[in-house]
Amino acid sequence: MKAHEKEFLSNIEDLKNTFNTIKKDPSFIYNPEKPDGAHLINIRSVGDGMVDHTEIMNAIIVPEWAFNAEFFDEKHETAKIQFENYYSDKNESLPQNMWQTPVKFVYDYCTYDYTIGDFSENLDNYSERFISYDEALEKFQVYQEKMIEMNKLIAQAKKKENLSPN
């Protein structure tokens, strides 16, 4: 087993069990307002020029036709496009209910930057896509190593603070 893989699998265990239950249920209706998922990475860091970099990774259950997690848009316009394109590409007729289709288990990875204090809705370097298990595990491992290093630095700073004379 790879470094941090046990923890990674532990984080998605309940979600995998949910997926295994609902994927066998033809009457299951997906609720885009309450998706089943597990947070794996959520990093926000400030760099040069007060640019906030965000990196998010979740394991989620989505309809089989979902190309990426952008289908969660408020009015489901992107969902309708992804739904229609998926079945058109397969030369299949559309199911009656776009939310009552088979589901899949995916890892969604999203990154973007924005300038702090810029109140526009534009995000720079935006990327959002589904990634493989191996890529998700690799990103999780890097994240865990960064968290371990950061916790060490915090502990050292606290130790220095406690040792310094007041």
Side-chain angles (χ1 to χ4, degrees):
M1 194 168 269
K2 296 179 181 178
H4 304 293
E5 190 168 14
K6 189 174 183 178
E7 184 178 358
F8 180 79
L9 293 171
S10 172
N11 286 345
I12 62 171
E13 183 178 6
D14 290 343
L15 185 62
K16 275 287 197 183
N17 291 335
T18 299
F19 173 71
N20 288 330
T21 300
I22 63 177
K23 76 177 182 179
K24 300 172 191 167
D25 181 359
S27 65
F28 174 75
I29 298 176
Y30 190 86
N31 182 351
E33 307 304 321
K34 293 185 178 182
D36 290 306
H39 299 290
L40 299 170
I41 296 176
N42 191 345
I43 302 172
R44 287 183 169 76
S45 59
V46 178
D48 292 338
M50 295 302 287
V51 173
D52 184 327
H53 174 74
T54 300
E55 181 178 357
I56 300 168
M57 185 173 70
N58 297 309
I60 53 176
I61 298 170
V62 298
E64 72 176 352
W65 48 260
F67 176 71
N68 59 33
E70 291 178 7
F71 79 91
F72 286 118
D73 66 325
E74 198 171 297
K75 295 181 181 178
H76 306 299
E77 292 165 351
T78 303
K80 189 173 191 291
I81 292 167
Q82 289 185 13
F83 172 70
E84 290 172 354
N85 287 345
Y86 177 82
Y87 288 100
S88 174
D89 289 348
K90 292 178 72 174
N91 292 321
E92 293 181 12
S93 59
L94 292 174
Q96 286 188 336
N97 182 345
M98 70 189 286
W99 303 115
Q100 192 171 0
T101 60
V103 293
K104 61 185 177 181
F105 186 98
V106 299
Y107 300 96
D108 180 58
Y109 181 69
C110 179
T111 62
Y112 58 87
D113 300 323
Y114 70 91
T115 303
I116 296 172
D118 179 5
F119 296 104
S120 73
E121 294 187 22
N122 295 332
L123 300 175
D124 297 322
N125 304 316
Y126 178 83
S127 172
E128 193 276 333
R129 61 193 172 91
F130 295 154
I131 60 176
S132 69
Y133 172 88
D134 288 336
E135 191 174 355
L137 177 59
E138 182 179 317
K139 289 180 183 311
F140 184 79
Q141 290 168 325
V142 169
Y143 172 74
Q144 289 302 103
E145 291 301 322
K146 285 180 182 177
M147 292 300 104
I148 289 169
E149 187 60 33
M150 188 168 52
N151 287 334
K152 284 180 186 175
L153 292 171
I154 291 169
Q156 287 173 354
K158 284 183 177 179
K159 191 175 182 180
K160 284 181 184 178
E161 185 178 290
N162 290 337
L163 293 177
S164 65
N166 291 336

